[in-house]
Structures are given as structure tokens and as C-alpha cells.
Amino acid sequence: MNFTLKVWRQQNAKAKGHFETYKVSNISPDTSFLEMLDILNDQLIREGNDPVAVNKGCKNSGPIAFDHDCREGICGMCSLYINGHPHGPDSEITTCQLHMRKFKDGDTITIEPWRSAGFPIIKDLVVNRGAFDKILQAGGFISVNAGSAQDANAIPIPKQKADESMDAAACVGCGACVATCKNGSAMLFVAARVSSLALLPQGRPEAARRAKAMVAKMDELGFGACTNTQACQSECPKGITVSHIARLNREFLCAKLKD
């Protein structure tokens, strides 16, 4: 398969970015999207080291910087906006789980970084998602000493609540919800973190403090407000729903009323 790639290039956070066009050929349909970018980078490195290619005026800005780690859909680092969709056109997957068979031979593919004030661009397709870490540090934890693991039946938890908590905990913090939201809101991320703890007995003692602290930090870091368009839900690679945002709102309002 052959593709034309329009890739966002930006030298650093202060530089002006632009799109550059590249062509890749003989790509197997079973190649993952990140593997395809690896192939392109190998091609760019060879062209940059080839005096003949340079003399022919071959345009080369060096290999493309992009983020990745596990390549198993669990780290959330592969934050790419592909043809207008976070993580690409497939549903409930991260970029590393996207394969080139999802595209047609000869397609033009536009690749951009996340677009959000909360995620400033570092270089090319790499953004700084450290804001999510700061939100978690503000309250996404249980501070008491829980001791060693108890027997599974020692703290009875209804299966529905346990399932909801596990669904919320599936959030990998990739930022697709922020990237797809017209307001750049991080509500789905914060809501997932709050829900995963608020639904369990161990998380209840600090529920009020947690909701207030995480929402305050989210606002401080410049993320937008939620207007319930549900774009975040439709693009979340882990299928996390806006019902968790409703729970976050309840937790936050109850905490404020208690104050």
C-alpha cells in the first residue's frame, strides 16, 4: 500500500509549525500506524545521510518526533490526531492499535498533535501532557495507609459499583477527550479518576476533598468547561462514558454544599 502523509512539523514550542508532505510505499496492511511512522523515519534518515538525495534537492527536516511507549494500548502516550480524529478513524483504540488496513491504498493521511492550551507542543507531534499528572497529584489518590490487601469478601462491594469503578479506572490518560472537545475540557479524564475511587469504600473518606482539589487544578491549568457535546465519549479509546462526568458534578456540588 502507498500513502501520502501530511505531517505537522514544529521545531519547538515557540517555533511556527507547518505541514510537510511525505510519501511512503510498499506498506503492509498489517503494519501498525506507529510502525509506518518508524518506516518513514528510517526513510528520512537515509535521505538525510545520502549525498545524492541531498544534491537532488530532497527536502528533509530530519526524523519526525512522536510519542510512544508500550505500543499495547495501555500507556496512552501515542497522542496523534489522524484525519480529524484522536487516535485515528477506528473506534475504542489507541494509535498504536491502529493498522494501515483501516485506510485505502493511495489515501492522503493528515497527522497532527493534540490541539489544546493544556497540552503545549514540545516538538512535531509530541505534546506536554504533564498537566494530567498535576491534576492527579492534586487529589487522584488515597492518602491513608490502607495496609496489606484484605480478603476479597472482607469489604462487600456491589458488583455494579465494582464494574463501574473498573470501567473508570481503564482511563489511560491519553488526552483524546481534551483533543476532541471544542472547549479543550478535561472533565472526562477527571471524572474517570474521581469515579474510580468514589465508587469504592476506600475512596469515600476523601471524596469531597478529591473532587474539589482536582476540579480546581483542572481550571487552574487552563482546561475548558464541559458543555455536554459528548465528543469526548465518542472518541475515548477505552469507551469511558459521560455518566462519570455526572458523578463528578454530584461529588463536587455535594462537597461545596457541605462547605
Side-chain angles (χ1 to χ4, degrees):
M1 302 177 75
N2 303 322
F3 301 100
T4 299
L5 308 178
K6 294 179 65 177
V7 183
W8 184 260
R9 304 303 306 265
Q10 186 169 331
Q11 188 60 34
N12 53 56
K14 296 182 179 180
K16 185 177 180 180
H18 62 280
F19 282 103
E20 286 192 14
T21 301
Y22 306 99
K23 293 186 180 295
V24 289
S25 305
N26 302 319
I27 302 296
S28 167
D30 296 326
T31 301
S32 76
F33 199 87
L34 295 187
E35 287 171 338
M36 182 274 296
L37 289 179
D38 288 336
I39 292 171
L40 172 60
N41 274 344
D42 286 342
Q43 176 181 312
L44 293 176
I45 291 170
R46 287 196 304 271
E47 289 174 354
N49 293 331
D50 183 359
V52 176
V54 173
N55 290 334
K56 288 182 179 179
C58 180
K59 188 177 181 181
N60 191 329
S61 300
I64 299 161
F66 63 95
D67 232 341
H68 62 91
D69 188 12
C70 71
R71 300 205 180 196
E72 294 178 348
I74 56 176
C75 75
M77 292 186 68
C78 48
S79 48
L80 298 183
Y81 214 77
I82 304 166
N83 283 353
H85 293 276
H87 296 304
D90 214 343
S91 60
E92 296 194 7
I93 62 165
T94 53
T95 305
C96 61
Q97 295 171 302
L98 178 67
H99 290 80
M100 301 313 295
R101 56 179 172 268
K102 192 66 180 179
F103 303 92
K104 295 179 181 178
D105 186 26
D107 272 357
T108 296
I109 304 173
T110 302
I111 311 170
E112 304 172 72
W114 286 165
R115 303 290 189 181
S116 169
F119 296 149
I121 295 176
I122 297 174
K123 181 178 180 180
D124 294 341
L125 303 175
V126 180
V127 299
N128 184 350
R129 292 184 298 112
F132 272 10
D133 296 328
K134 293 177 182 178
I135 292 174
L136 288 178
Q137 290 165 4
F141 53 85
I142 295 173
S143 62
V144 298
N145 185 358
S148 59
Q150 299 186 42
D151 182 81
N153 296 320
I155 304 178
I157 301 172
K159 184 178 186 304
Q160 181 182 353
K161 288 189 178 294
D163 288 346
E164 282 187 75
S165 176
M166 287 299 293
D167 289 344
C171 172
V172 293
C174 66
C177 52
V178 176
T180 196
C181 177
K182 66 178 183 179
N183 306 319
S185 173
M187 281 288 281
L188 191 65
F189 167 75
V190 175
R193 297 306 188 187
V194 166
S195 273
S196 66
L197 296 175
L199 286 161
L200 302 178
Q202 298 93 327
R204 289 312 307 168
E206 296 176 297
R209 179 200 59 79
R210 180 181 304 112
K212 290 187 295 183
M214 294 182 75
V215 169
K217 180 59 70 172
M218 174 181 66
D219 292 341
E220 176 191 326
L221 293 171
F223 291 101
C226 174
T227 49
N228 294 311
T229 62
Q230 300 188 21
C232 53
Q233 174 179 283
S234 65
E235 297 289 1
C236 176
K238 299 303 177 182
I240 294 171
T241 68
V242 294
S243 63
H244 295 293
I245 294 180
R247 179 173 291 105
L248 169 61
N249 287 334
R250 290 195 298 272
E251 294 286 336
F252 182 79
L253 289 173
C254 287
K256 287 295 186 180
L257 286 172
K258 288 179 182 178
D259 288 347

